[in-house]
Amino acid sequence: MYIADQTWPELGDYVAESSLAVVPLGSTEQHGPHLPLATDHLIAEALAREAADRTGFLCTPTVNVGVSPHHRQFHGTMWVDPPQFRDYVESMTRNLAYHGVDRVVFVNAHGGNVQYLREVGRRLRDDGTMYAIEWMWDESIPDLVTDLFDHPGPHGGPKETSMIMHIARDLVREGELESARDGGVPDLSDDHLREHGARTFYDAVENSGNGVFGDQTDASPEAGEELFEAATDQLVHLLSWLDDQPIDDLLAPAHVDPQPGSRR
């Protein structure tokens, strides 16, 4: 159920019966010469909408711009700074709580958002507002990703390329797959990331001239469909599990000492 397509009485009926919502989030940032800047938010929205359709749970509009300053050297990348992103997502999620939602899954497709979504979830849980957790699609199916691709890459690689081939193939510049591979870093190893144990870079361009990693020529729409179905199944299972949990079991436990700070 997509919230923006409903009327307010219909949504009143929904929260009278259910208290769970999914919130898709991504980014608008470079994904190499072969993929659109929309890659992350297209994936997040497609997965969230499909899981909501299969389960009947509520899905909100997508947060399209995330924490992406590490891609800023590439034309068109948009970003918000972490405090503003965190506060915006928290404020929007509190709207849902006001209307009766007490559990949320952030359906996330951008690694730069993860830390801050976890912080939002902790804030909402610690003050007793609701239980909100972050879910990242590729982390739900790691074995399938490694089975399908020798060099999946953490950004703009064949896993994301395959997903966009399945979701919106017309947006993939398929003639650029070889140049994406050859101008990027097909196999990202620890040698690219650390010097004597220290992480010495801040931005993607410091490791990859065209901003992407992995072997994009391994991508296919068939692999994308397999990834999409497997990730959707995992998300559906997560939503069903979360819906079954008593809210008191999800919120922050009480202090282990019923009288913290007292002297005996």
Side-chain angles (χ1 to χ4, degrees):
M1 177 187 291
Y2 183 53
I3 191 171
D5 289 343
Q6 311 305 310
T7 67
W8 71 261
E10 290 166 342
L11 292 167
D13 291 340
Y14 175 82
V15 294
E17 299 294 331
S18 188
S19 57
L20 190 152
V22 294
V23 178
L25 307 98
S27 69
T28 298
E29 64 180 24
Q30 71 84 18
H31 276 78
H34 62 302
L35 289 179
L37 274 67
T39 291
D40 287 344
H41 71 249
L42 287 174
I43 293 172
E45 181 169 344
L47 289 167
R49 294 285 291 269
E50 182 65 22
D53 286 347
R54 293 186 189 185
T55 60
F57 292 124
L58 195 65
C59 180
T60 73
T62 305
V63 177
N64 289 341
V65 178
V67 182
S68 302
H70 50 295
H71 293 294
R72 69 187 186 277
Q73 289 90 350
F74 296 94
H75 296 298
T77 292
M78 302 182 69
W79 71 92
V80 290
D81 292 329
Q84 286 72 33
F85 175 80
R86 192 170 47 228
D87 289 348
Y88 177 84
V89 174
E90 180 179 344
S91 179
M92 186 182 78
T93 308
R94 287 185 185 277
N95 296 173
L96 297 171
Y98 175 84
H99 292 298
V101 170
D102 63 15
R103 59 204 77 192
V104 161
V105 174
F106 295 125
V107 177
N108 180 39
H110 174 51
N113 295 340
V114 172
Q115 174 184 342
Y116 311 107
L117 294 174
R118 291 285 298 174
E119 290 178 15
V120 171
R122 173 168 284 283
R123 288 183 184 184
L124 295 168
R125 180 175 181 253
D126 284 355
D127 68 14
T129 298
M130 66 160 58
Y131 182 78
I133 51 173
E134 182 267 347
W135 178 85
M136 187 85 170
W137 73 270
D138 56 332
E139 293 180 359
S140 75
I141 50 171
D143 292 341
L144 178 58
V145 170
T146 55
D147 285 347
L148 289 174
F149 311 113
D150 291 332
H151 304 294
H155 183 75
K159 62 183 178 183
E160 289 184 319
T161 304
S162 296
M163 284 284 270
I164 298 300
M165 284 178 166
H166 174 60
I167 295 166
R169 189 169 185 175
D170 59 314
L171 296 181
V172 180
R173 281 64 168 176
E174 295 188 37
E176 298 290 339
L177 297 182
E178 289 188 6
S179 68
R181 176 197 62 198
D182 297 341
V185 179
D187 186 12
L188 184 66
S189 68
D190 211 43
D191 292 341
H192 293 96
L193 301 176
R194 298 183 184 277
E195 291 288 344
H196 307 291
R199 182 168 167 159
T200 56
F201 69 94
Y202 287 93
D203 297 329
V205 72
E206 295 175 79
N207 288 318
S208 172
N210 67 5
V212 295
F213 307 88
D215 185 352
Q216 291 76 13
T217 63
D218 281 346
S220 71
E222 294 78 19
E225 182 177 11
E226 190 172 355
L227 292 168
F228 184 85
E229 290 299 322
T232 300
D233 285 345
Q234 289 296 311
L235 180 54
V236 166
H237 288 311
L238 174 62
L239 297 177
S240 298
W241 171 84
L242 186 56
D243 186 52
D244 287 341
Q245 306 309 303
I247 188 60
D248 288 345
D249 291 349
L250 296 171
L251 297 179
H255 197 287
V256 294
D257 181 353
Q259 295 181 307
S262 64
R263 293 184 179 181
R264 302 188 179 180

